[in-house]
Amino acid sequence: MIDRARTLIEAAEQIVAFSGAGLSAESGVPTFRDAATGGLWEGYDPTRLASPGGFAADPGLVVEWYNGRRRAVHRALPNPAHRALAARADVMNVTQNVDDLLDRAGARSVVRLHGQLALDRCHGGCGYEETVDLGDPPPLRECPHCGARLRPGVVWFGESLPIDAWAIAESACRTCDVLLVVGTSAEVYPAAGLIALAKGEGARIVVINTNPSAASDLADVELIGKAGEIVPGLLER
Ligand code: BV8
Ligand code: ZN
């Protein structure tokens, strides 16, 4: 199976790597579904916290939850899968992740469909945004421009994706020869729709995941295992 995947990759002109929380799991960053398990956030539903309604209901709790994730990302290190992806300048990274591990691994251009933890932006829509220190993230505060609240620069459930990132990702997935699907449950839309889109345009789908996922049915090759252990062998020249 690994050889079949490597053959597809070697024959490909254009390769896109579509990644989710499983890519960063071995770096110690809890996956999205785990983010609410294991201690502090036991019993909190991430899809509620990662939403405008959750923020309106308890903005302090939501900012605390994000700041806990920001500190976890700050402590984390890129793993061999981040480094293997970053080493292939010819592979376009389209990620659902909001951490900065691909950048820290040296990836030059990362297309972020769901925003990033390292930014705060105005929830009032005035356009103000500011980089935050993941190691010492600021508490809930007001926008210096318009007085509305600042919130993490991520895309919440019910919010639309950044237009330019989506356009780049969509056109790359339409034209790629191989789509690597790394560490995602492929349950969140519209991002997960990129897999069927690529397949429909003739791309070969190589899935790398520790478990079967909603991407399994679309896979030409499905490699069950850890991204940090599989991805380097797939991409090293
Ligand atoms: C929108 C940023 C409308 C925030 C995130 C009903 C049906 C279908 C769709 C919907 C529905 N109801 C609502 C919707 C739409 C909704 C949606 O899809 N909901 C899902 C839950 C059904 N989508 C939205 O709301 C989107 N916006 O639709 O807007 C609109 C349209 C126009 C105008 C205005 C509005 C916005 C979605 C973005 C939400 N934000 N993240 C934050 O991070 O806090 S999504 C969040 O979950 C993550 O970012 C990630 O993208 C996503 C999915 O998580 P994964 O990355 O896949 O991680 P997960 O934990 O699920 O899985 C990890 C995988 O890794 C597992 O498979 C595991 O086996 C594997 N793994 C683990 N370890 C390893 C590994 N694999 C390899 N190696 C390992 N070591
Ligand atoms: Zn503002």
Side-chain angles (χ1 to χ4, degrees):
M1 294 293 263
I2 294 253
D3 293 343
R4 176 131 173 63
R6 275 189 61 87
T7 308
L8 292 173
I9 290 165
E10 276 152 19
E13 298 268 306
Q14 195 188 341
I15 304 170
V16 173
F18 174 62
S19 54
L23 172 64
S24 299
E26 291 152 87
S27 299
V29 178
T31 65
F32 201 75
R33 293 319 177 260
D34 305 339
T37 55
L40 200 58
W41 300 103
E42 198 67 52
Y44 287 95
D45 170 5
T47 51
R48 247 186 50 68
L49 290 172
S51 72
F55 185 62
D58 191 342
L61 175 73
V62 170
V63 168
E64 257 314 290
W65 183 57
Y66 276 96
N67 285 351
R69 290 174 59 195
R70 283 164 161 168
R71 291 187 198 94
V73 167
H74 180 70
R75 284 193 302 274
L77 291 176
N79 65 53
H82 293 111
R83 289 201 296 274
L85 287 165
R88 290 287 299 261
D90 60 320
V91 172
M92 175 190 276
N93 282 289
V94 172
T95 192
Q96 302 171 90
N97 295 339
V98 292
D99 64 49
D100 61 349
L101 293 172
L102 274 168
D103 312 76
R104 283 163 52 195
R108 257 179 305 294
S109 73
V110 178
V111 179
R112 299 172 201 290
L113 297 176
H114 293 158
Q116 54 179 306
L117 286 173
L119 274 184
D120 259 352
R121 64 177 155 88
C122 177
H123 195 50
C126 81
Y128 179 80
E129 60 178 44
E130 173 185 323
T131 305
V132 303
D133 174 356
L134 292 176
D136 180 20
L140 177 64
R141 61 205 168 117
E142 289 179 357
C143 172
H145 277 195
C146 77
R149 288 191 180 118
L150 292 189
R151 37 74 58 90
V154 300
V155 178
W156 280 336
F157 288 99
E159 293 185 325
S160 41
L161 277 58
I163 297 165
D164 45 359
W166 178 257
I168 295 166
E170 193 181 22
S171 74
C173 289
R174 277 190 193 287
T175 57
C176 70
D177 305 304
V178 167
L179 183 71
L180 302 176
V181 179
V182 187
T184 180
S185 55
E187 287 167 13
V188 173
Y189 284 79
L194 292 170
I195 306 168
L197 177 78
K199 181 131 189 137
E201 299 286 335
R204 294 304 184 80
I205 311 297
V206 176
V207 174
I208 298 105
N209 195 313
T210 43
N211 300 297
S213 69
S216 301
D217 296 347
L218 294 168
D220 291 281
V221 181
E222 181 171 48
L223 303 172
I224 297 294
K226 293 185 173 181
E229 292 168 8
I230 294 175
V231 173
L234 287 183
L235 294 180
E236 73 202 11
R237 294 231 225 224

